[in-house]
C-alpha cells in the first residue's frame, strides 16, 4: 500500500525498553531489573495520587469533565495565570502536536537544536513540514538566530527544549529572553519546560517562569508535564501555557475528552504534594554527583545536566550500543543515543541502590 509521501522520512519513535520486554527476552525477574531509561520518577508517585485514583475509580464509566476546570484552576493558581491561558494534553506531547499543527505546514518549517526531543520533528514531518536544525548538538542561540534570520519567512515555529532532552543542558533565562526579543511576533517560540523544576532548583538563572514569559512575549508557548518530577508518566498529563490568542488556535486542534478522568484527578492530587517533588529533586542532584564522580574516575565525558538524567559520552574505545546491550543482559535498562548519532548513553538518575547497581554493572564493561 502506498501512504502519504511525508511518512517515508519518519523514523518510528522508540521509547525506553519496557521492563516487561526485558523480562521476556532475557528471563530476568522483574525485581532484578533496574530501569533508568525513561526519566521516570524513581520514587514512583505520591501516595496522594494513588489515593485519588482509588477514590475515583468507579467514575470511569462517565466521560471526563472536558472543561478540566479542577486541574486548570490548580495550575492557574500555581503559576499565577488565568485558566484561559491553559490547555491540558495527553502528555505535553499532545500539546506539542497541537502547536506544530497550528504553526507549521508545507511552507512553514520548524526550527530546533540538532539533538533534541525527537517528537518535534516527528509531528512536523507528519504534516509535511520541514525541520531546520542548528549545526551544534546543544542549544546555541546564536546559531538559532543565524538560521532564523536567513529563513525568516519560512519558519513558523521554534522549539527551545530547556533543559534539553536527551543531552541535559539548559540556558540562562536572560539569554533566552534576548533571543525571543529578536523573533517576529508571527513566529511561535515554544519553551519546552519538561525538566524546568530540576533546572530551577540547580541554578535559579536557568528558571523560566511561564507567567513572566507569556506576559513579556505574546508569541510564546510554555510546556510542562506531570510525567517527570511528579511521577505520572503512565497517566499522560501535560499542559501548555500561552496568551489567549494562541490558546484559541490550539483548542481547534484538540480532540474532545483528550485527557482521561483518572489522569485529571491524579494530576490535581500530585499538585498537592510539593514535598514529594522536593524530595525527588533533592535525591536527583545528590545522586547525580555520584555519576559525575564515577565518570571522572573512569575518564568518561559527561554533559553537565539540569535534568533528572545524565548523558555520558564515550570515546572510540567504547561503543554505546554494545554497552547498552550488555547492560540489558544484566537487567539494567538505559537509553542508547546511537539513533541520535551520538556514541553515548542517557541514564536516568535513580535511587541510591539503583545507581549503585548501574556503577557495578557498567564498571567491568569499561575495562575492556
Ligand atoms: C518527557 C518529555 C516531554 C513530554 O512528556 P509527556 O509524557 O508527553 O508529558 C516533553 N518534552 C520533553 C523534552 C520530554 O523529555
Amino acid at each position: 500500500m502506498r501512504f502519504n509521501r511525508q511518512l517515508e522520512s519518519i523514523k518510528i519513535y522508540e521509547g525506553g525498553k519496557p521492563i516487561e520486554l526485558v523480562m521476556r527476552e532475557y528471563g530476568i525477574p522483574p525485581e532484578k531489573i533496574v530501569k533508568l531509561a525513561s526519566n521516570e520518577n524513581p520514587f514512583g508517585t505520591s501516595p496522594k495520587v494513588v489515593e485519588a485514583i482509588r477514590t475515583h475509580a468507579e467514575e470511569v464509566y462517565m466521560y471526563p469533565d472536558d472543561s478540566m476546570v479542577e486541574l486548570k484552576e490548580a495550575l492557574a493558581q500555581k503559576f499565577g495565570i488565568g485558566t484561559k491561558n491553559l490547555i491540558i494534553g495527553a502528555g505535553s506531547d499532545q500539546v506539542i502536536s497541537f502547536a506544530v499543527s497550528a504553526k507549521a505546514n508545507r511552507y512553514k518549517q520548524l526550527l530546533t537544536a540538532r539533538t533534541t526531543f525527537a517528537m518535534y520533528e516527528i509531528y512536523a514531518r507528519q504534516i509535511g513540514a520541514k525541520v531546520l536544525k542548528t549545526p551544534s548538538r546543544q542549544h546555541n542561540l546564536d546559531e538559532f538566530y543565524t538560521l532564523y534570520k536567513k529563513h525568516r519567512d519560512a519558519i513558523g515555529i521554534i522549539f527551545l527544549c530547556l533543559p534539553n532532552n536527551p543531552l541535559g543542558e539548559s540556558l540562562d533565562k536572560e539569554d533566552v529572553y534576548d533571543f525571543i526579543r529578536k523573533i517576529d511576533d508571527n513566529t511561535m517560540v515554544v519553551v519546552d519546560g519538561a525538566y524546568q523544576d530540576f533546572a530551577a532548583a540547580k541554578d535559579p538563572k536557568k528558571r523560566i517562569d511561564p507567567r513572566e514569559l507569556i506576559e513579556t512575549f505574546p508569541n510564546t508557548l510554555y510546556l510542562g508535564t506531570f510525567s517527570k518530577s511528579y511521577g505520572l508518566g503512565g497517566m499522560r498529563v501535560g499542559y501548555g501555557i500561552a496568551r489567549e490568542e494562541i490558546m484559541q488556535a490550539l483548542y481547534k486542534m484538540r480532540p474532545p475528552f483528550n485527557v482521561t478522568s483518572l489522569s485529571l484527578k491524579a494530576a490535581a492530587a500530585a499538585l498537592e504534594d510539593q514535598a514529594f517533588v522536593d524530595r525527588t529533586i533533592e535525591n536527583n542532584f545528590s545522586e547525580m554527583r555520584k555519576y559525575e564522580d564515577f565518570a571522572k574516575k573512569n575518564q568518561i565525558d559527561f554533559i553537565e545536566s539540569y535534568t533528572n538524567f545524565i548523558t555520558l559520552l564515550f570515546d572510540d574505545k567504547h561503543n554505546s550500543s554494545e554497552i547498552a546491550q550488555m547492560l540489558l543482559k544484566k537487567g539494567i535498562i538505559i537509553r542508547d543515543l546511537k539513533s541520535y548519532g551520538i556514541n553515548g548513553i542517557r541514564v536516568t538518575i535513580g535511587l541510591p541502590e539503583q545507581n549503585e547497581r548501574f556503577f557495578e554493572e557498567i564498571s567491568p564493561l569499561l575495562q575492556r
Side-chain angles (χ1 to χ4, degrees):
M1 188 181 286
R2 271 193 292 276
F3 295 97
N4 292 341
R5 277 271 299 284
Q6 66 262 28
L7 268 58
E8 289 165 18
S9 65
I10 297 178
K11 269 193 270 172
I12 294 175
Y13 182 84
E14 262 188 69
K17 206 169 178 79
I19 288 175
E20 189 64 32
L21 279 186
V22 178
M23 274 168 58
R24 289 186 198 189
E25 281 177 36
Y26 301 97
I28 301 170
E31 66 274 11
K32 286 269 176 66
I33 297 177
V34 174
K35 186 180 178 211
L36 302 173
S38 299
N39 305 338
E40 290 150 342
N41 191 319
F43 290 107
T45 195
S46 160
K48 291 195 173 160
V49 167
V50 179
E51 193 188 304
I53 293 172
R54 287 216 176 96
T55 306
H56 296 280
E58 286 175 15
E59 296 163 20
V60 294
Y61 70 97
M62 283 189 288
Y63 278 103
D65 166 13
D66 207 33
S67 76
M68 309 189 198
V69 60
E70 183 190 8
L71 180 57
K72 279 187 191 166
E73 277 177 355
L75 282 168
Q77 187 171 0
K78 174 179 164 71
F79 292 114
I81 54 171
T83 51
K84 287 189 171 143
N85 300 116
L86 273 163
I87 188 164
I88 316 285
S92 61
D93 232 293
Q94 193 178 36
V95 186
I96 295 170
S97 81
F98 298 159
V100 172
S101 301
K103 284 300 292 180
N105 58 40
R106 270 183 67 190
Y107 312 102
K108 288 282 189 186
Q109 310 182 4
L110 181 147
L111 174 59
T112 71
R114 180 160 137 225
T115 303
T116 190
F117 193 50
M119 294 313 298
Y120 310 146
E121 177 165 359
I122 292 178
Y123 290 128
R125 289 185 182 275
Q126 285 175 356
I127 56 168
K130 288 197 180 126
V131 179
L132 262 175
K133 297 178 188 174
T134 59
S136 297
R137 293 191 185 291
Q138 300 183 34
H139 284 65
N140 177 317
L141 290 173
D142 292 334
E143 292 178 3
F144 268 86
Y145 187 60
T146 302
L147 280 174
Y148 169 75
K149 252 193 328 201
K150 193 165 163 204
H151 303 279
R152 191 184 285 258
D153 296 331
I155 294 175
I157 184 165
I158 301 171
F159 274 86
L160 301 176
C161 190
L162 302 173
N164 187 21
N165 179 11
L167 300 182
E169 90 277 10
S170 205
L171 297 173
D172 285 2
K173 179 190 88 173
E174 287 307 325
D175 297 332
V176 175
Y177 278 24
D178 286 344
F179 170 73
I180 302 176
R181 217 168 269 128
K182 296 184 285 190
I183 304 301
D184 190 274
D185 278 355
N186 202 30
T187 305
M188 188 187 288
V189 181
V190 182
V191 173
D192 185 342
Y195 304 93
Q196 263 289 321
D197 41 5
F198 293 99
K202 179 167 179 170
D203 180 358
K205 288 199 299 297
K206 305 258 181 305
R207 174 167 180 261
I208 294 174
D209 177 61
R211 173 186 176 171
E212 187 188 79
L213 180 75
I214 69 167
E215 279 181 356
T216 313
F217 304 109
N219 56 337
T220 52
L221 168 65
Y222 179 94
L223 300 177
T225 178
F226 284 92
S227 298
K228 310 289 160 59
S229 57
Y230 288 102
L232 285 183
M235 294 308 277
R236 317 300 307 120
V237 197
Y239 52 88
I241 296 174
R243 293 209 193 170
E244 281 187 61
E245 185 196 14
I246 291 179
M247 280 301 143
Q248 291 296 319
L250 299 186
Y251 271 93
K252 292 182 184 176
M253 302 299 167
R254 186 185 73 95
F257 310 112
N258 60 320
V259 184
T260 74
S261 44
L262 290 183
S263 302
L264 291 168
K265 288 292 180 193
L271 285 176
E272 284 176 16
D273 197 351
Q274 187 57 38
F276 174 81
V277 175
D278 293 345
R279 186 151 35 94
T280 298
I281 294 174
E282 212 174 280
N283 171 75
N284 185 65
F285 288 114
S286 62
E287 288 299 302
M288 192 183 288
R289 229 170 292 133
K290 297 185 186 167
Y291 278 84
E292 293 172 350
D293 293 343
F294 178 85
K296 284 175 195 159
K297 217 169 60 197
N298 289 279
Q299 288 160 6
I300 299 167
D301 267 346
F302 64 89
I303 300 172
E304 172 155 28
S305 170
Y306 295 87
T307 63
N308 64 350
F309 59 82
I310 188 162
T311 295
L312 306 178
L313 302 167
F314 300 128
D315 57 22
D316 296 343
K317 267 194 302 195
H318 304 293
N319 178 324
S320 64
S321 303
E322 280 172 25
I323 287 184
Q325 189 59 33
M326 288 188 285
L327 285 172
L328 206 52
K329 286 184 191 156
K330 306 274 186 190
I332 312 275
I333 320 174
I334 47 83
R335 192 81 147 92
D336 177 24
L337 297 180
K338 264 296 158 56
S339 63
Y340 291 89
I342 295 175
N343 184 29
I345 56 174
R346 187 193 71 188
V347 189
T348 304
I349 310 295
L351 300 173
E353 56 272 26
Q354 296 177 313
N355 302 326
E356 275 316 313
R357 263 288 300 286
F358 170 82
F359 299 139
E360 249 170 58
E361 300 288 5
I362 197 175
S363 289
L365 308 180
L366 297 171
Q367 305 312 322
R368 306 176 327 129

